[in-house]
Structure formats: structure tokens, C-alpha cells
Amino acid sequence: MAVSTSKFNYIDCDPDLCIGCQICEYVCSYTKNGEYNTYHSRIRTVRVDEVLITAIACRTCENAPCVISCPQKALSQDPETGTIRLEATKCDGCAWCIDACDFGAISMNHEARLVEICDQCENEEDGPQCVLWCPKEALALTTPEQRAQKSRRELIKQEVIGPK
Amino acid sequence: MDNIQVLIEFTGISRMLTEKMEYQLSLAEGAGIMDVVRAIGRKFPLLVGEVIEKDGETLIPTNLFSVNGKQILNEKQLHYQPKDGDRLILLSLLAGG
Amino acid sequence: MFGYSGKILHIDLIEQKTWVEGKTEDWYKIWIGGVSMATRLCWENITPGCDPYSPENPVCFANGIFAGTPVPVGGKYGLASKSPMTGFIGDSLSGSWFSIALKRASWDGVVIHGTSEEWVYIFIDDERVEFRDASKLMGLGTFAAEEAIRDELADDQVRSATIGPAGENMVRFANVTNDGRQAGRTGHGSVWASKKLKAVSVRGTKGITVADPETLNKLSFDITKAAQGPHTSKYRLLGTVTNVLNMNKLGLLPTRNYQEGVFEDAEMVSGEFLHEHNKVKTIACAQCPIACEQMSMVKTGPWAGAMTGIEYECLFANSSNLGINDINAAIKLIEIADQGGMDAMSMGITLSWAMESFEKGVLTKEDFKCEKHPDGLELTFGNGMAAVATAEMIRDQVAVGKLLSQGTKRASETIDKERGTKSYQWAMHSKGMETAGYEARGLKTFSLGSAVGTRGPCHNRTAAYDPDIKGVVDRFTVDDTRGELARSTEEYAAVYDTLPLCKFIRRCFTGKADRAGAWPMIAKLINATTGWNYEYDDIDLIGERAFTIKKAFNIREGWKRTDDTLPYRWMNEPMTKGPSAGHFTSDEELEYMKDLYYKAKGWNNDGMIPKEKLKELGMPDVAEQIGV
């Protein structure tokens, strides 16, 4: 059961703008792991069919199921930002959190036997790298309310001014 | 000095931005291509930055005029003076795929 | 070594075994990747003189130097075999994920030898290779096969290059498809089918590292942003289909089997029209920030729901070239080609040959009789329904589809022999491969480039239409600059085809797309990836080497100067309508231009390559075998 009624920021992708280029995945894996490898990206593009494309990263759920599910209590959630934190020494790579996440936003690093979750590049000066790089500006660090506001404004513009 | 009439035909990007297929332009005789560019840039400001350079006087490469489908006016032929009745076709040239 | 793993994977379909060949950094410095490396691998592994459908014709993949890095539009690979259409090198490029997966599986190239006893598909799982039973995939379209393999192997990240039913049925111009893109021309699909190879699938889980990631990221970031500006607007907003009106206005849009260069209904099959009425979304290949693929859909009528990516070359071949003004028919035809796995260009131009043949009484209604069409068909210009039905017959090798599936050269030769006709006069091919979407009768330099093309009359390889269309030279006449021009444009294009990098990025480095504007940035990108010290001249050499190995391959397979020719129509019949009417390329003009071209290339007048030149270019073994 999906529980992202998040009041926190998360990386959101607009499927109307996403072209599926995967540059976000290269840049994420490079920033976090020092190599270009989509298996080690914390944001993942997905194409349902040729034209339905989007990207998914951690949705900073309230009462995050991943945190609740971890038998080793290796995951915790920052009360201010909502980002999920991993205590690497406690994680044994059991993958229960991957099961618990309805968004498929957690992945396993098999070499390190640790899970990887988007932390919105909190350690990068210029913020989330994927957002910076996305050629179509399809990605944004946003809350659900801000996302909804944006959609409403776009709709009004289209209705009143006409489609672009 | 008499005025001459030329027909600007829009294709590709220029057509999308102007939402017109063609446009009748009145020019002073002896006007050159840069005058044409200036005139349509003023009439259709959306073209500036996409098809016309920000200076409003030249076309962004690889947008080019073809005169009546025959001659293409590249940067070496900007001195061309349109004649009355010329069709100036604004093309966005690109490699096919 | 950065940028390369140093390993080529060899696969033998006969004994189902594999081995690894190590290559040195010096070898990669010469061959780089893409069409050049793929041709070189073919040169090294083929039995010269073999039948393209024999076990001795290898399937050679060459990866891209930038695949899997953030370098924009670097996710491409080259594919080469001896072409069953021309008997010469069949080198193709394709974009998107397959190249990246292969790179992450740590392979610079793959060579597939022999012929399998049963239909198989190969799964390259990092360093492990599996030969898998393909019986459940048989008959599946290209996209469906990819999905089925993904399901079977239960991993989204598995990428596959597949052949479709057209390939399985040995349609001579069948292609190889991956991730919605195609290694489209020269007939790879039928070569794979002759080997009973349905697909090659890859999963690569390793990371890619480069020599100087900070620099590479910075350069890539800047190019990515530049790729959103006016230097790519035409690709992003309308796609390559913008060329329909461009060519029509110049009188160069092939119409009704290249009878004319102006189509009265061009507006109805233009990119602008497609954008208004049929576009669903623009999508991108993997690693591309431009996004030029215009996914378009038929919304009403008998083919409602048909959707595929539309490019200029497929569009002209299946609309104006067929006298068809119904965009829906064109989309449907291209979808048949894409799903069925055949080259939409060769298919369209073979259909137009068939239409002209029908109208001239060379083919009759009866030729089209089959179960689905017991009364046959009237394949006249403009008849969308009949064209769609015939395209399906080609794919399925039914009735006259069998003849047409062999392409215009063989179809016209067969029919002319059987029926005493002269249909060769309207068969639009050179060396056995069909022509491209530019009326060469109004483009003299392009005529030369088409005639001397190593894989046939390919617009992409020669790029010689550029000086003609841009008015750098008079496109209707011939002069002594044309040889050098054709050399220059083809070697420029070859650099992009070898790295590979998609040519659409060429203006995004500095705003100027010429060598001075592009080579310095390309050198920086190569150096940041590999740690080499490449400079301007080294980049130039990339292009020269690519064309040289292709020519050498052809010479070894029996190429002669007389093979460099043009279709009968382009050499004998002028167009009568539009701004380019009244011209064609005479024998005399062509021979004169060929003299100039061979000279500009540093070859002798027979088009043979001097030993010294080959040694200079770093290919002493080639010098030994075919140098003069």
C-alpha cells in the first residue's frame, strides 16, 4: 500500500517532459559511486511503452515503510527533510526494505551488500545532480503540494492562453 | 523609389513560430536580404533567438533563404537584392535521418 | 586503458563456443569504434570472397568510445558484415541502450562466426555467454521479441538487438533493431537469419570509468545545455521530417519512384502536418539530451492505432516516392517495416519500383494473387491500401512479395530476364542498395558521393549534398572542386560514424559545425575519456582511416571502378517539374568527377590504393593484401 502523503521534498519527474535519456542515472551513479552505472543509480528511468516514460527516486514517505520494515533498524528518517538515512554498519543486505517500498526506489549494491536510496544529494553544494543535468528540466526537487500547484497553473495557462 | 513585393514562405520552425505559411512583404527597391530579415523579425518577434539572431539582422545557421527554390543564399550572398515577385523560402536545413 | 576494456568477444555458432581476443591500445587508436572498427573486425575475420549468407561471413559489433558516459549522443554502436545487397561492406550504426549495456558488460566488440543448426539467441551476461533456444521468439516482431526476451530473463536492463519476421523470412533488406532504433541498411537482418540468429541480448552490470571524469562531466554538461538551444530546434521540435518541405521547395523530393522532385501534395505528408495531426511524443535514444524521435500515431481509419517513430528518410520513401498523400498510410507502412524488421527506405523504393512496373504493365494484378487477395492488387501510385498489402507480402514472402523482397536490383534483373522488359531503367539503386531522399539530378556533388559510396548510394556516409544545397557550389553543374569536396564531406561524416557520435550534436560544441568548430571539442572528449593526447589532425585521420578500410574491404571483395555508378534514371532522364528540372548526370560528367575524387583520396585512377598510403595510415597488413 503506497503511503506517500509526503510533506517532504522528493525528486519528482514529469512524464510529459521526460525523454528517457537516462543522463540522470549516469550522473547519480557517478556522484554517489564514482562510476557511470545505471545499476548504481538511485534514480531510475522506466519506460512502460515507447511513449510512457518517467523516472523514480525516493518519495520520502511519511511513516516510511522501508524504515519500519528493516529488521536491523539500519534505516531512519530525518524528521526535518524526510530523507532516508542508512547506517551502513547495521545493514546486512537482506532487502526487506526493497520489498517494502512500493515505488521501487531502493536498490541493492551487490558488491558492498548495502542498499542505496536517494538522499537528494544533501552533500553536494549545488543540490541534486540529476535535477541540474536533466536536459528537459523534467526533474524537480519538490513537495506534492508544490507539484499540484504547478499542475494547476499549467492547466490555467493552457485553458486561458491556449496550448503551446 | 518604388516598392517591390516579395513572398516569404515559412517552413519548419519558422512556420511553427509564426503560425503562417506565407507572408507578403513590401520592400523598398534596392533592399537587401538583411532588410528582409529585419522586417520579418520585427513583424514576428518570436523568430528572434530561434531563427533570427538576437541582432535581428542575420539568420541563425542553418536557416537559409532559397530564392524561388533555386538559389540558396548563404553567408556569401547576403548582398542579394530581391526582385519584385521573388519567393523567398525560409528553410531550416538539416541532415536527414 | 580507459574508454576500452581491451577485449573482443568471439562467438562460434557452429560449436557454440566463445573465446576472447585481446587488442592493444595502439589498435584502438587506429580503429576507434563504430563503422571503422566494425569494418576492421570484418576485414580480420571474414573469408574473402565468401557468400554473404555463408558461415564465413561474420557479424561484427563495434562499440562506441563514449557509450555509457554522460557524453551526449555517444550511446551508439557499429555493425558490419559483408552485405547481401551489394556484395561489399555493409556497415551500419544504431543508437541507444544496446551499446551501453555492451560497454558495461566490458566488451569493445563482438564477432559472431558460423551458422547455427537451430534458431538461437545469444545472451551476453557480463562475461558469461549463453546460447538460448529461440523457438518461442520466432515470428515475433522486433519490439515484441525484445520484450519477450526481457520477460524470459526477468531483467529490465537486458537490451537486445533482434531481427523481425522479415529477417526470419530472408527479406534481403531486412534490418537489425534494438531499443526502437535500427541498424537499418545493407541487409543485416537476412545475414543473421542465414545464421539462424534471432537476437543478441546483453546485460552489463559493471561501472564505466574514464581517465578524467571531472573534465568529461564538465564538457558533457555544457554540451547537454547547448543541445537545448537553437542549434537543435529543428530536430527537437519537428524532427528530421522537416526535410519533406525543404526538399520539395528545392525540387528535390523524390516523387513517384524518382520520376520528379516535386510532389503536389507534399504539405499533406510534411513534418509540419505530422506534427499537427499525428505526433504523440518526442523521445530520445539513451544518452541523448536532444530527443528527435517523433513518435506518431494513426488516429482514424483502417490503420488506427499504428504508431512508430518517423524519420525523413522513411517518410519520403513511403509517401511522395509512392505518390501517396495520406500520412496515415505512410505511418502504417513505416510501422510494418519497423515491427517486421526491414529497412523502410529500401522497402519504400522497392514498392515504388513495383508501382511503376505495374503502371507500365511489367507487373500485373495476377502477380499479387494470394490467399488474402484472391483477385490480386492494383499497385498504382497513390494507392495506400495496395501499398500496405504489398509491404506485408514482402515481409511474409508471399506472391510477388517474394520477388520484391530481393530489392530493386535483383527484382528488376529477374523480371527483365523472364519477361523481356526494361524495368532496370527505373530501378533506383547503385551497387544493389537503394538510393536516399535527395534527388541527385539537382545535386551534382551528391551524385558523385552517391556513386562512390562504399555501402552504396548512402546520403549519410557521403554528406556531399551539403555543399550543393547550401549553395557553396552550383548544384547543377560540375567543376574541378567536386572530388575534393566529396572527399572532405565523407571523411567529416566518418568521424561521427566512427566514435560514434550522432551528427545532430555537431553545432553544439562551438556554434559552428565545420572541422574547426568541432574537432577541438571532440579531441577534448576523447582525451578526457581515454587519457590520450589527440589533436585536430588525429581527428581528421579518424575519418580518412574509416573510409580507407571500407574501400580496402571492397577491393578485396572484387570492387572495380565500373561499380561506382548511378541508377539509370539519374544518368539518362531529366526531371520536368520544379526548380531542379532539366538536369541529370551524364556518363562523361560522372567519370570526370570520379577521376577528381580518386585523385583527392590519393588513389590511382582505377580507384586502387597505393601501398604507401595504407602504410602511412597505419594499416600495413592491408597494404600487403590489396595495396598497389
Side-chain angles (χ1 to χ4, degrees):
Chain A
M1 185 188 60
V3 286
S4 177
T5 53
S6 181
K7 59 183 187 239
F8 301 119
N9 271 320
Y10 62 94
I11 306 282
D12 177 68
C13 178
D14 186 345
D16 282 337
L17 299 175
C18 179
I19 54 172
C21 67
Q22 280 191 321
I23 289 179
C24 54
E25 298 189 44
Y26 299 154
V27 161
C28 177
S29 57
Y30 177 75
T31 305
K32 292 299 187 191
N33 293 61
E35 56 177 19
Y36 308 118
N37 189 348
T38 55
Y39 276 101
H40 290 162
S41 171
R42 298 160 189 221
I43 181 169
R44 298 294 190 94
T45 57
V46 59
R47 271 193 206 204
V48 172
D49 66 24
E50 293 177 90
V51 290
L52 196 50
I53 317 172
T54 192
I56 309 240
C58 173
R59 303 289 269 225
T60 59
C61 306
E62 289 170 63
N63 306 313
C66 57
V67 171
I68 298 171
S69 73
C70 179
Q72 305 301 334
K73 306 239 182 302
L75 293 175
S76 61
Q77 185 165 30
D78 184 309
E80 301 285 311
T81 62
T83 50
I84 308 295
R85 302 212 185 292
L86 174 70
E87 245 189 275
T89 47
K90 289 190 179 158
C91 172
D92 63 2
C94 74
W96 272 69
C97 56
I98 294 177
D99 238 6
C101 175
D102 275 328
F103 298 99
I106 304 180
S107 49
M108 176 72 73
N109 181 329
H110 291 286
E111 289 91 15
R113 245 196 119 84
L114 294 172
V115 292
E116 296 178 331
I117 307 174
C118 169
D119 63 2
Q120 301 165 18
C121 285
E122 352 180 77
N123 298 326
E124 300 296 320
E125 245 182 73
D126 39 11
Q129 297 298 290
C130 56
V131 173
L132 206 59
W133 276 76
C134 176
K136 303 303 173 188
E137 296 178 2
L139 295 172
L141 185 63
T142 184
T143 63
E145 176 54 28
Q146 287 169 339
R147 186 74 184 84
Q149 286 179 11
K150 184 169 174 227
S151 299
R152 292 193 289 268
R153 264 182 277 129
E154 295 284 329
L155 178 67
I156 291 298
K157 266 197 262 182
Q158 286 209 18
E159 302 256 289
V160 175
I161 300 176
K164 46 179 189 285
Chain B
M1 216 166 27
D2 285 327
N3 270 11
I4 58 167
Q5 302 294 321
V6 298
L7 187 66
I8 314 289
E9 289 182 15
F10 293 121
T11 68
I13 304 293
S14 61
R15 186 185 291 194
M16 278 182 77
L17 292 172
T18 60
E19 296 183 8
K20 278 184 152 6
M21 282 176 62
E22 47 188 47
Y23 173 64
Q24 191 86 19
L25 181 64
S26 193
L27 286 176
E29 211 178 334
I33 284 302
M34 281 164 81
D35 298 301
V36 175
V37 175
R38 253 184 247 120
I40 56 177
R42 269 201 305 266
K43 174 78 184 169
F44 303 105
L46 283 177
L47 292 176
V48 180
E50 284 287 344
V51 174
I52 299 177
E53 294 277 15
K54 297 236 164 71
D55 66 11
E57 292 194 337
T58 48
L59 295 174
I60 294 178
T62 51
N63 296 286
L64 296 165
F65 277 117
S66 160
V67 184
N68 303 322
K70 286 199 139 102
Q71 194 189 357
I72 293 268
L73 303 177
N74 56 39
E75 58 272 2
K76 298 204 178 76
Q77 285 134 352
L78 293 177
H79 54 271
Y80 177 79
Q81 290 181 349
K83 302 183 203 46
D84 192 37
D86 265 351
R87 279 166 51 229
L88 296 176
I89 308 162
L90 186 48
L91 301 167
S92 296
L93 290 178
L94 75 179
Chain C
M1 221 185 334
F2 286 106
Y4 300 98
S5 64
K7 301 182 313 192
I8 308 287
L9 174 64
H10 286 261
I11 299 176
D12 174 20
L13 292 172
I14 301 176
E15 297 190 22
Q16 293 205 348
K17 63 178 199 289
T18 67
W19 68 99
V20 177
E21 181 188 2
K23 291 291 196 190
T24 64
E25 196 160 17
D26 283 335
W27 190 85
Y28 291 110
K29 279 185 162 172
I30 307 237
W31 305 112
I32 306 285
V35 298
S36 191
M37 191 197 289
T39 302
R40 174 69 197 186
L41 287 172
C42 205
W43 166 275
E44 289 178 7
N45 290 281
I46 195 171
T47 305
C50 70
D51 185 313
Y53 290 146
S54 70
E56 285 80 35
N57 185 16
V59 167
C60 306
F61 287 86
N63 217 333
I65 196 173
F66 302 125
T69 70
V71 173
V73 308
K76 292 175 77 113
Y77 68 90
L79 182 65
S81 291
K82 181 169 171 174
S83 165
M85 299 186 76
T86 63
F88 297 131
I89 188 72
D91 60 294
S92 299
L93 287 167
S94 179
S96 212
W97 285 287
F98 187 85
S99 61
I100 297 162
L102 193 62
K103 193 89 167 185
R104 286 212 305 268
S106 78
W107 298 111
D108 300 322
V110 181
V111 180
I112 304 177
H113 307 257
T115 295
S116 173
E117 251 188 71
E118 305 294 336
W119 277 92
V120 287
Y121 77 97
I122 294 174
F123 177 37
I124 302 173
D125 191 5
D126 279 337
E127 257 122 11
R128 211 172 50 88
V129 177
E130 273 180 47
F131 296 84
R132 297 180 67 92
D133 170 31
S135 45
K136 285 202 221 87
L137 304 174
M138 301 310 291
L140 289 182
T142 52
F143 297 70
E146 253 191 72
E147 282 307 307
I149 293 174
R150 209 168 269 138
D151 281 339
E152 190 181 313
L153 299 174
D155 190 345
D156 261 4
Q157 302 241 33
V158 170
R159 315 313 305 201
S160 304
T162 65
I163 66 173
E168 291 171 30
N169 294 335
M170 296 289 290
V171 171
R172 197 169 283 263
F173 47 82
N175 64 23
V176 163
T177 302
N178 65 282
D179 310 304
R181 306 297 294 187
Q182 293 87 15
R185 312 211 70 196
T186 73
H188 292 286
S190 60
V191 171
W192 287 32
S194 72
K195 298 179 179 310
K196 295 212 171 69
L197 179 63
K198 173 71 179 171
V200 177
S201 303
V202 196
R203 171 167 55 202
T205 66
K206 314 214 176 118
I208 292 165
T209 52
V210 299
D212 183 355
E214 293 304 315
T215 304
L216 196 69
N217 283 356
K218 171 93 189 39
L219 294 173
S220 302
F221 185 85
D222 291 341
I223 300 170
T224 299
K225 293 304 167 191
Q228 309 314 311
H231 295 310
T232 55
S233 312
K234 55 204 176 190
Y235 297 123
R236 287 183 287 108
L237 298 177
L238 284 171
T240 59
V241 289
T242 315
N243 260 350
V244 172
L245 285 188
N246 282 349
M247 291 304 120
N248 197 54
K249 299 266 187 191
L250 297 174
L252 301 170
L253 180 69
T255 298
R256 294 189 182 86
N257 198 36
Y258 292 77
Q259 286 174 34
E260 294 291 349
V262 186
F263 185 44
E264 63 279 9
D265 292 328
E267 288 282 349
M268 292 169 70
V269 293
S270 65
E272 289 81 346
F273 189 93
L274 192 72
H275 179 84
E276 244 334 289
H277 297 97
N278 304 83
K279 184 153 105 175
V280 176
K281 188 174 178 161
T282 315
I283 61 175
C285 288
Q287 205 170 319
C288 168
I290 299 174
C292 76
E293 188 163 7
Q294 312 292 320
M295 297 303 291
S296 309
M297 183 192 263
V298 176
K299 298 194 175 148
T300 57
W303 308 301
M307 178 175 77
T308 194
I310 307 289
E311 302 290 345
Y312 170 65
E313 298 291 335
C314 319
L315 183 54
F316 98 85
N318 292 288
S319 63
S320 63
N321 181 50
L322 299 178
I324 284 176
N325 62 10
D326 177 4
I327 194 81
N328 293 335
I331 296 175
K332 180 63 185 174
L333 283 165
I334 297 169
E335 193 206 46
I336 292 174
D338 286 352
Q339 298 283 352
M342 27 184 186
D343 175 11
M345 290 169 73
S346 287
M347 181 188 87
I349 293 164
T350 305
L351 282 172
S352 61
W353 172 86
M355 283 178 173
E356 187 160 349
S357 299
F358 183 87
E359 292 199 350
K360 290 189 154 112
V362 170
L363 293 176
T364 65
K365 230 178 142 191
E366 279 62 44
D367 289 320
F368 295 80
K369 270 195 179 141
C370 59
E371 215 181 298
K372 243 179 162 182
H373 305 278
D375 296 320
L377 290 173
E378 308 249 353
L379 187 66
T380 49
F381 282 113
N383 188 342
M385 287 293 227
V388 168
T390 311
E392 290 171 345
M393 285 186 203
I394 292 177
R395 178 193 64 207
D396 302 333
Q397 293 255 28
V398 161
V400 75
K402 285 201 205 102
L403 174 79
L404 299 177
S405 75
Q406 298 308 298
T408 54
K409 173 175 151 76
R410 288 166 177 80
S412 60
E413 283 170 1
T414 305
I415 272 287
D416 287 347
K417 200 158 169 216
E418 269 174 32
R419 302 185 184 183
T421 47
K422 287 192 159 41
S423 68
Y424 71 89
Q425 290 181 355
W426 55 87
M428 293 305 295
H429 73 86
S430 171
K431 298 188 173 80
M433 191 168 88
E434 284 70 27
T435 47
Y438 307 86
E439 240 304 339
R441 286 172 290 183
L443 302 166
K444 283 290 157 74
T445 321
F446 179 69
S447 294
L448 170 63
S450 301
V452 301
T454 50
R455 70 172 195 164
C458 174
H459 65 292
N460 215 335
R461 297 289 180 272
T462 171
Y465 53 76
D466 199 75
D468 285 328
I469 291 183
K470 295 227 177 101
V472 172
V473 290
D474 180 351
R475 58 190 175 92
F476 298 117
T477 61
V478 163
D479 60 48
D480 63 10
T481 62
R482 305 310 171 99
E484 168 55 26
L485 269 176
R487 179 207 69 81
S488 177
T489 58
E490 75 181 17
E491 290 180 10
Y492 176 85
V495 171
Y496 292 86
D497 293 340
T498 297
L499 295 166
L501 271 182
C502 173
K503 299 186 186 76
F504 295 173
I505 202 78
R506 65 194 182 283
R507 225 164 259 282
C508 299
F509 304 135
T510 60
K512 282 185 131 34
D514 58 3
R515 282 169 163 84
W519 281 188
M521 176 58 83
I522 288 179
K524 284 197 197 128
L525 290 169
I526 293 178
N527 295 341
T529 303
T530 57
W532 297 344
N533 283 315
Y534 262 40
E535 289 174 357
Y536 186 103
D537 288 338
D538 300 302
I539 311 297
D540 250 356
L541 273 176
I542 293 177
E544 195 182 352
R545 286 183 175 127
F547 253 93
T548 305
I549 187 64
K550 290 199 266 176
K551 189 42 163 281
F553 183 97
N554 289 358
I555 290 174
R556 198 170 67 174
E557 295 300 325
W559 174 90
K560 302 172 303 302
R561 182 177 160 134
T562 45
D563 288 315
D564 282 354
T565 184
L566 291 170
Y568 179 94
R569 179 153 277 167
W570 278 356
M571 296 190 71
N572 291 280
E573 297 172 10
M575 293 185 283
T576 64
K577 303 199 184 104
S580 301
H583 305 273
F584 58 83
T585 304
S586 70
D587 217 6
E588 211 186 307
E589 282 178 323
L590 184 58
E591 293 308 310
Y592 172 59
M593 288 198 288
K594 277 157 68 175
D595 288 339
L596 295 167
Y597 170 78
Y598 298 152
K599 186 149 181 256
K601 297 291 282 191
W603 303 339
N604 73 15
N605 212 44
D606 292 322
M608 296 296 154
I609 313 175
K611 276 194 170 129
E612 275 322 299
K613 185 137 225 5
L614 291 163
K615 287 190 196 150
E616 245 173 63
L617 291 172
M619 14 189 132
D621 66 321
V622 178
E624 274 318 299
Q625 289 193 45
I626 58 101
V628 297

